[in-house]
Amino acid sequence: MELSQIRAFVAVAEELHFGRAAERLGMAQPPLSRTIRALETELDASLFQRTTRSVSLSSAGEAFYEPAKHMLATQQAAVESVHRSSSGQIGRIRFGYSHPSSRHLVAALVAASEDNNPGISFQLESRVYADEGLERIMDGTLDLALVRWQQRPSLIAGRPVQIERPCVAVPPGHRLAKRSSVDVAELSGERFIFLPSRPNSNLRETGMRLCLDAGFAPTVVQEAPDSQSIAALVGAGMGVTITFDSVAAGYGSDVVAVPLNADNETTKLYLAYRLDHHDAALDSVLDIAEAVLPTVR
């Protein structure tokens, strides 16, 4: 059973006149009559009662009418879905980021996308760090990620959407808590809490490197799976951590963030995606991101 046969049947059923139905379909009447006869042969039933003066639906035709309209509506919906998908109006974006420093950026982009293209949905993953995010963009399990890098990887495109500066997070009663800034060398002898070494985090790498550049190897007494856990441990007096000001902004009152004297150590957070992607929905989201998350310098 072909859609052209269904379309012909519905036209005749609604017009109850072969001539008007043929005109509606933009075809001659004899081919239309042959199409209806072929459909009746396939269904082994007469769909119309015909006289020289009138055409009416048979009982079989009446039973077939609503399912036939549904078939045409389903076909039209399928065509429209394809068109909307190819134009970037519908789709699904798998978006990775590291909570909580990026959540306000993610929220702004998702909200703007919902306003402009409600047919695009997001699958959010909030514990995606630098290397993992880049690897997953490359292997296709993420479409978009907020990540940090020192040098842009090949086949990855992206632009900076946030500038971050290093700081040390300490409990309120710590000896450095009331300082306006701290030299990294002053942290020698402190107990450190960092993210795990895997998956690799640019945040951990920055903290380790700053300590080594200042002449000491940090004593890592504990690792925590995410920034919120680190904040809880620092607030409990278990140690200190080197982090970014954007991350520390979400720590709460139990932790004090003191800027580090490292003016040349600013880091940029990039909105990254695969350079050779072919996803119209992602292109739509990236267009929206240009306004919502402007490029920082």
Side-chain angles (χ1 to χ4, degrees), residues 205-251:
E205 278 193 352
T206 298
M208 297 288 287
R209 178 176 53 77
L210 286 174
C211 292
L212 294 173
D213 288 348
F216 69 96
T219 301
V220 181
V221 295
Q222 192 164 347
E223 294 181 340
D226 53 55
S227 295
Q228 291 296 84
S229 299
I230 289 177
L233 292 170
V234 171
M238 301 298 294
V240 305
T241 192
I242 291 177
T243 186
F244 297 129
D245 53 2
S246 60
V247 178
Y251 277 177

Side-chain angles (χ1 to χ4, degrees), residues 261-266:
N261 293 321
D263 294 338
N264 60 340
E265 288 292 341
T266 57

